[in-house]
Amino acid sequence: MIDLRSDTVTRPSEAMRQVMFDAPLGDDVWGDDPSVARLEAYTAERTGKAAALFFPSGTQSNLVALLSHCQRGDEYIVGQQAHTYRMEGGGAAVLGGIQPQPIENEADGTLPLKKIEAAVKPIDPHFARTRLLTLENTFHGQVLDAGYVEAATSLARRFGLATHLDGARIGNAAAATGASLKSLCSPFDTISICCSKGLGAPAGSVLVGAADFIETARRWRKVVGGGMRQVGMLAAACEYALAHQLAPLVEDHAKAERLAAGLAEIDGITVTAQATNMVFVEFTRAALDPADLHAWLKARDILVGALYAPRFVTHRDVSMADIDRVVDVVGEYFRRG
């Protein structure tokens, strides 16, 4: 099966499985799982932050960051298309009483600085208290411009706001630009890093930030059910992913470039965007039923995403030969007449 639904389907390599098998274990709720402690120390050092906390998922890591930054009746500024707003079940509002203040993303994933400034509420009992600015990198595969990030986070600080980055695919941003994780994380107070996407760990995300913030987050992690026991096997996989599988992400980007070039040659498809490991398309045949295309591909052992706009995501478990096959099969579909 050629699975292009998401890079979340990436499976652990044999070397990662061995590291998991050999991982020393303890009870992380008591704070004595050595593999978790090692991952947290390693991630904090790589990102230039004082402390880190291991989570089972990126959704929970982002949620706990919001709960730790904001109180009930506070609000956070967020992109209309951001994962933390659109794709995480409204957790901040449902569980934290935190109001999102969405702003429409520009095509490159940025939030216009003037709109951020306009969204900050006055200190007045009539308004939710604006506490936090959240950004996402990468956004639909696109790397946020470093100059923009500096301007946006400086603006937030001017208004006394904290800053959080959903860095689910920050590894792709690092691989694409050659920038270090530390430099990409430096402008933000907190960052959530996911290890179970292109990095290939079976599960796990890490939240990094100041030491006192992480202690607050540790309590919230317990409240939302994220305290785990002998979880060192997953932590060892995440450490291996960050240590060994970050730079090779450029190979996934090359696969996406090849896929975009091939799909662009097919009459009936317009490639609307390609960045890092994601390809977005539009179907120009008015009568096309996307569900029919998905069924056609699935019958030929190819899976593509249906949750978003038509999207193909490359990862380590897809080869260049697989990419060529996808182009051939999609082309065959559109040539049927």
Side-chain angles (χ1 to χ4, degrees):
M1 186 68 71
I2 302 172
D3 196 339
L4 295 169
R5 291 173 298 174
S6 175
D7 46 10
T8 59
V9 305
T10 312
R11 295 179 295 273
S13 65
E14 288 303 316
M16 181 182 287
R17 290 170 187 262
Q18 187 62 50
V19 166
M20 294 172 67
F21 183 82
D22 292 336
L25 304 179
D27 186 322
D28 185 43
V29 173
W30 291 106
D32 59 12
D33 188 304
S35 296
V36 173
R38 177 170 163 164
L39 166 67
E40 291 172 346
Y42 178 77
T43 309
E45 190 276 331
R46 286 287 303 270
T47 58
K49 300 301 182 184
L53 186 62
F54 183 54
F55 285 84
S57 73
T59 293
Q60 191 177 87
S61 178
N62 281 325
L63 172 62
V64 166
L66 294 173
L67 292 171
S68 302
H69 278 297
C70 302
Q71 300 178 33
R72 297 184 68 85
D74 291 348
E75 75 172 9
Y76 69 106
I77 296 173
V78 63
Q80 187 77 244
Q81 303 301 317
H83 202 279
T84 50
Y85 173 64
R86 190 177 187 190
M87 303 299 295
E88 296 183 1
V94 173
L95 301 175
I98 304 166
Q99 172 176 288
Q101 171 57 71
I103 295 174
E104 191 63 42
N105 293 89
E106 297 285 7
D108 63 358
T110 60
L111 305 179
L113 298 180
K114 289 184 178 180
K115 291 187 177 181
I116 294 174
E117 185 169 353
V120 178
K121 307 296 188 291
I123 303 300
D124 185 285
H126 293 87
F127 301 110
R129 296 171 296 183
T130 311
R131 294 293 197 192
L132 179 68
L133 170 67
T134 64
L135 297 175
E136 185 174 335
N137 195 18
T138 63
F139 174 85
H140 293 180
Q142 299 172 101
V143 179
L144 290 185
D145 176 76
Y148 168 80
V149 169
E150 183 58 42
T153 53
S154 294
L155 174 63
R157 287 192 293 273
R158 181 156 61 88
F159 282 95
L161 309 184
T163 55
H164 174 69
L165 179 69
D166 177 3
R169 293 184 174 87
I170 196 170
N172 292 90
T177 62
S180 66
L181 290 179
K182 182 177 181 179
S183 65
L184 293 171
C185 293
S186 175
F188 297 92
D189 295 307
T190 58
I191 305 93
S192 173
I193 300 173
C194 186
C195 299
S196 63
K197 293 185 168 64
L199 289 175
S205 289
V206 187
L207 178 65
V208 297
D212 58 349
F213 179 91
I214 292 298
E215 282 310 302
T216 299
R218 189 179 302 278
R219 179 182 182 276
W220 277 116
R221 185 184 70 172
K222 183 65 175 176
V223 170
V224 299
M228 298 177 287
R229 301 297 179 175
Q230 289 75 30
V231 72
M233 289 182 288
L234 290 178
C238 290
E239 183 184 355
Y240 182 90
L242 288 167
H244 299 284
Q245 296 184 178
L246 194 153
L249 290 173
V250 294
E251 299 170 13
D252 299 340
H253 304 171
K255 296 168 194 172
E257 292 174 3
R258 184 166 180 150
L259 178 61
L263 294 176
E265 296 296 319
I266 298 172
D267 185 21
I269 291 183
T270 297
V271 175
T272 58
Q274 183 274 311
T276 59
N277 67 327
M278 295 189 183
V279 181
F280 291 86
V281 302
E282 287 181 353
F283 303 125
T284 56
R285 183 180 296 173
L288 173 67
D289 179 1
D292 181 61
L293 173 59
H294 291 161
W296 166 274
L297 294 174
K298 187 175 181 180
R300 289 152 182 81
D301 295 329
I302 298 170
L303 298 177
V304 296
L307 186 60
Y308 299 84
R311 182 186 81 160
F312 301 78
V313 184
T314 60
H315 51 84
R316 185 170 47 80
D317 291 341
V318 176
S319 68
M320 283 293 189
D322 291 334
I323 295 298
D324 293 340
R325 171 160 169 74
V326 170
V327 172
D328 289 343
V329 172
V330 174
E332 181 184 354
Y333 176 87
F334 280 92
R335 289 192 296 271
R336 293 185 307 165

Short mmCIF file of all heavy atoms in Angstrom, two decimals, residues 186-208:
data_model
loop_
_atom_site.label_atom_id
_atom_site.label_comp_id
_atom_site.label_asym_id
_atom_site.label_seq_id
_atom_site.Cartn_x
_atom_site.Cartn_y
_atom_site.Cartn_z
N SER A 186 13.86 29.79 19.12
CA SER A 186 14.31 30.90 19.96
C SER A 186 13.28 32.01 20.13
O SER A 186 13.11 32.53 21.24
CB SER A 186 15.61 31.48 19.39
OG SER A 186 16.01 32.62 20.11
N PRO A 187 12.52 32.42 19.09
CA PRO A 187 11.60 33.55 19.28
C PRO A 187 10.40 33.25 20.17
O PRO A 187 9.70 34.18 20.60
CB PRO A 187 11.14 33.87 17.85
CG PRO A 187 12.16 33.25 16.95
CD PRO A 187 12.61 32.03 17.68
N PHE A 188 10.12 31.98 20.47
CA PHE A 188 8.90 31.59 21.14
C PHE A 188 9.15 31.23 22.60
O PHE A 188 10.20 30.70 22.95
CB PHE A 188 8.25 30.41 20.43
CG PHE A 188 7.83 30.71 19.02
CD1 PHE A 188 8.70 30.47 17.96
CD2 PHE A 188 6.59 31.26 18.76
CE1 PHE A 188 8.32 30.78 16.66
CE2 PHE A 188 6.20 31.55 17.47
CZ PHE A 188 7.07 31.32 16.40
N ASP A 189 8.14 31.47 23.43
CA ASP A 189 8.23 31.06 24.82
C ASP A 189 8.10 29.54 24.95
O ASP A 189 8.80 28.93 25.76
CB ASP A 189 7.12 31.73 25.64
CG ASP A 189 7.29 33.24 25.70
OD1 ASP A 189 8.38 33.70 26.08
OD2 ASP A 189 6.33 33.96 25.37
N THR A 190 7.18 28.96 24.18
CA THR A 190 6.97 27.52 24.24
C THR A 190 6.78 26.97 22.83
O THR A 190 6.30 27.67 21.93
CB THR A 190 5.73 27.17 25.09
OG1 THR A 190 4.57 27.81 24.55
CG2 THR A 190 5.93 27.61 26.53
N ILE A 191 7.16 25.71 22.66
CA ILE A 191 7.05 25.04 21.37
C ILE A 191 6.64 23.61 21.60
O ILE A 191 7.17 22.93 22.49
CB ILE A 191 8.40 25.06 20.60
CG1 ILE A 191 8.93 26.48 20.44
CG2 ILE A 191 8.25 24.38 19.23
CD1 ILE A 191 9.90 26.90 21.54
N SER A 192 5.69 23.13 20.80
CA SER A 192 5.31 21.71 20.80
C SER A 192 5.93 21.07 19.57
O SER A 192 5.71 21.52 18.44
CB SER A 192 3.79 21.57 20.76
OG SER A 192 3.42 20.21 20.59
N ILE A 193 6.71 20.01 19.78
CA ILE A 193 7.41 19.31 18.70
C ILE A 193 6.88 17.90 18.61
O ILE A 193 6.92 17.15 19.59
CB ILE A 193 8.93 19.29 18.95
CG1 ILE A 193 9.46 20.72 19.03
CG2 ILE A 193 9.65 18.50 17.87
CD1 ILE A 193 10.91 20.81 19.44
N CYS A 194 6.39 17.52 17.44
CA CYS A 194 5.82 16.18 17.25
C CYS A 194 6.87 15.26 16.65
O CYS A 194 7.54 15.61 15.68
CB CYS A 194 4.61 16.26 16.33
SG CYS A 194 3.74 14.69 16.16
N CYS A 195 7.00 14.08 17.24
CA CYS A 195 7.98 13.10 16.75
C CYS A 195 7.34 11.98 15.94
O CYS A 195 8.04 11.11 15.44
CB CYS A 195 8.74 12.49 17.93
SG CYS A 195 9.65 13.69 18.91
N SER A 196 6.01 11.98 15.81
CA SER A 196 5.32 10.85 15.19
C SER A 196 4.83 11.15 13.78
O SER A 196 4.03 10.41 13.24
CB SER A 196 4.13 10.43 16.06
OG SER A 196 3.18 11.48 16.15
N LYS A 197 5.34 12.24 13.19
CA LYS A 197 5.01 12.52 11.79
C LYS A 197 6.19 12.04 10.94
O LYS A 197 6.54 10.87 10.98
CB LYS A 197 4.65 13.99 11.61
CG LYS A 197 3.33 14.35 12.32
CD LYS A 197 2.89 15.75 12.05
CE LYS A 197 1.46 15.98 12.51
NZ LYS A 197 1.28 15.85 13.97
N GLY A 198 6.79 12.91 10.16
CA GLY A 198 7.87 12.46 9.30
C GLY A 198 9.07 11.92 10.05
O GLY A 198 9.86 11.15 9.49
N LEU A 199 9.23 12.29 11.32
CA LEU A 199 10.35 11.78 12.10
C LEU A 199 10.21 10.30 12.42
O LEU A 199 11.18 9.66 12.81
CB LEU A 199 10.52 12.60 13.38
CG LEU A 199 11.03 14.03 13.18
CD1 LEU A 199 11.03 14.78 14.50
CD2 LEU A 199 12.42 14.04 12.56
N GLY A 200 9.00 9.77 12.33
CA GLY A 200 8.84 8.32 12.32
C GLY A 200 8.64 7.62 13.64
O GLY A 200 8.58 6.38 13.67
N ALA A 201 8.56 8.34 14.76
CA ALA A 201 8.28 7.66 16.02
C ALA A 201 6.82 7.19 16.03
O ALA A 201 5.97 7.79 15.39
CB ALA A 201 8.53 8.59 17.20
N PRO A 202 6.51 6.11 16.75
CA PRO A 202 5.13 5.60 16.75
C PRO A 202 4.16 6.51 17.48
O PRO A 202 2.95 6.46 17.22
CB PRO A 202 5.25 4.24 17.44
CG PRO A 202 6.49 4.34 18.26
CD PRO A 202 7.42 5.23 17.51
N ALA A 203 4.63 7.33 18.40
CA ALA A 203 3.80 8.26 19.14
C ALA A 203 4.72 9.20 19.90
O ALA A 203 5.89 8.89 20.13
CB ALA A 203 2.86 7.54 20.11
N GLY A 204 4.20 10.34 20.30
CA GLY A 204 4.95 11.20 21.20
C GLY A 204 5.22 12.59 20.68
O GLY A 204 5.57 12.78 19.51
N SER A 205 5.06 13.57 21.56
CA SER A 205 5.43 14.96 21.31
C SER A 205 6.11 15.50 22.55
O SER A 205 5.95 14.96 23.65
CB SER A 205 4.19 15.81 20.98
OG SER A 205 3.68 15.49 19.72
N VAL A 206 6.87 16.57 22.38
CA VAL A 206 7.60 17.18 23.49
C VAL A 206 7.27 18.67 23.52
O VAL A 206 7.35 19.35 22.49
CB VAL A 206 9.11 16.97 23.37
CG1 VAL A 206 9.82 17.47 24.63
CG2 VAL A 206 9.44 15.50 23.14
N LEU A 207 6.91 19.17 24.70
CA LEU A 207 6.68 20.60 24.91
C LEU A 207 7.90 21.16 25.62
O LEU A 207 8.34 20.62 26.63
CB LEU A 207 5.42 20.79 25.78
CG LEU A 207 5.05 22.23 26.14
CD1 LEU A 207 4.66 23.02 24.90
CD2 LEU A 207 3.91 22.24 27.16
N VAL A 208 8.43 22.26 25.08
CA VAL A 208 9.62 22.88 25.68
C VAL A 208 9.32 24.32 26.07
O VAL A 208 8.46 24.98 25.48
CB VAL A 208 10.83 22.84 24.71
CG1 VAL A 208 11.23 21.41 24.39
CG2 VAL A 208 10.54 23.61 23.42
#
